[in-house]
Amino acid sequence: MKFRVSAESISSQQTLPTRVALWLLDSPRLGQAQSVKRIAGKLLKQPAREGVVVAQSRLGQMLCRDCGNQRDRRIGLDMLRQAARAGDRRAQLELGRLCSQPRVNEPEQARHWLEQAASQGSHEAKRLLSRLPQHS
């Protein structure tokens, strides 16, 4: 059974593995190493399955950005969608970016997710929205 954790209660709901994974990924020196990303991904896997939104968001980003195969990217997109629907600004921004790329080319989806992120104060989303072609 899946459930979601609201963004407001993230800090109280984060498990130790989630906190460690986020610390590793956000560490300037460690966060870029593939081996560290692999460890962080393993730590985020179970919390993401359990519906911890921040774990879904970060694992989804890693799978979409750092994995070379289509299966992992598909799983990453699904995790990003779940987190974005739950209101995670980072996931909304990432989905907007991905949907606006020529490879995906879904401008309406890109606009939707970027507008969601922009409404939560994302300056990057506002910048990307201004670059999208106007819809007719």
Side-chain angles (χ1 to χ4, degrees):
M1 180 165 121
K2 289 186 179 181
F3 60 93
R4 292 202 175 114
V5 179
S6 69
E8 295 81 38
S9 63
I10 285 174
S11 60
S12 65
Q13 295 291 324
Q14 279 184 1
T15 61
L16 181 61
T18 303
R19 289 194 310 259
V20 170
L22 296 178
W23 177 78
L24 287 170
L25 292 171
D26 292 338
S27 170
R29 288 188 3 208
L30 298 173
Q32 299 306 312
Q34 288 302 317
S35 59
V36 171
K37 288 181 182 181
R38 208 171 3 265
I39 292 167
K42 288 179 182 181
L43 291 170
L44 290 171
K45 193 174 186 180
Q46 188 60 39
R49 283 184 181 149
E50 293 172 355
V52 177
V53 175
V54 70
Q56 292 171 334
S57 178
R58 294 302 289 270
L59 184 57
Q61 288 176 48
M62 286 174 47
L63 290 171
C64 288
R65 290 179 183 174
D66 300 324
C67 291
N69 67 58
Q70 288 298 323
R71 179 181 174 272
D72 285 346
R73 283 197 191 110
R74 211 171 29 253
I75 293 168
L77 275 172
D78 185 49
M79 292 209 168
L80 282 174
R81 280 190 198 98
Q82 289 176 39
R85 287 182 189 127
D88 186 87
R89 181 175 73 181
R90 189 181 283 208
Q92 293 167 343
L93 175 61
E94 189 66 20
L95 270 177
R97 268 194 201 119
L98 290 170
C99 291
S100 65
Q101 291 177 351
R103 181 178 63 175
V104 177
N105 194 24
E106 293 181 9
E108 291 306 312
Q109 283 293 307
R111 181 172 304 286
H112 170 76
W113 291 117
L114 290 172
E115 285 173 350
Q116 296 291 313
S119 72
Q120 292 193 58
S122 171
H123 298 293
E124 178 69 8
K126 290 175 186 173
R127 186 182 66 77
L128 292 171
L129 269 171
S130 70
R131 293 181 175 185
L132 282 179
Q134 295 299 316
H135 56 113
S136 44

